[in-house]
Amino acid sequence: MKFLVTSRIKDMFYTLPPEVQLELNKGAAAFIEKYLDNGKCKEIYNMPGKNMSMSIWEGETGEEMERRFVELSISAFMEYEVILLSDFEDSIKRNNEALEHMLVK
């Protein structure tokens, strides 16, 4: 299953001493690199001017995704949303099949 994850750093993060921010940022970079390397994080993008990022993840369950983000030490200073994605072409096909079925009498 694919998931879209949007995340934003909370303002209180910026009240931390710079050395703490740096360590948390380095930990976040290592976390992302780990999951990019093993193929679980497919893509990640920064959203300039919004203090946000968007990423595409592969996972078996929502619980698996939750465990990953508990592992991320900076997550205490983040707001994030995890959204299940479905394949667009398959979705259109299913919708059209349902409509065609409704037309058959």
Side-chain angles (χ1 to χ4, degrees):
M1 297 167 47
K2 285 194 170 62
F3 296 88
L4 170 67
V5 177
T6 59
S7 62
R8 185 184 80 72
I9 300 293
K10 294 178 184 177
D11 291 340
M12 71 177 182
F13 174 79
Y14 300 105
T15 66
L16 298 172
E19 59 273 8
V20 174
Q21 289 183 42
L22 179 59
E23 284 306 308
L24 288 169
N25 279 337
K26 286 180 177 181
F31 171 85
I32 292 298
E33 194 66 34
K34 169 186 168 181
Y35 284 104
L36 283 169
D37 287 348
N38 73 15
K40 296 294 184 178
C41 180
K42 300 298 186 184
E43 304 208 32
I44 185 166
Y45 298 95
N46 198 33
M47 297 171 65
K50 296 210 176 262
N51 197 27
M52 294 179 69
S53 68
M54 297 181 84
S55 50
I56 304 291
W57 293 76
E58 190 74 38
E60 296 298 318
T61 64
E63 290 80 7
E64 178 184 345
M65 293 300 299
E66 181 180 14
R67 282 191 301 276
R68 285 184 192 155
F69 284 93
V70 168
E71 173 189 339
L72 178 59
S73 58
I74 200 172
S75 70
F77 300 98
M78 293 171 53
E79 294 174 354
Y80 59 92
E81 183 177 13
V82 179
I83 302 166
L84 176 64
L85 301 174
S86 67
D87 183 76
F88 181 78
E89 290 177 9
D90 287 345
S91 180
I92 290 293
K93 182 180 175 184
R94 282 189 305 277
N95 288 335
N96 286 341
E97 287 171 354
L99 289 168
E100 288 170 359
H101 181 72
M102 291 169 50
L103 293 174
V104 176
K105 293 187 181 196

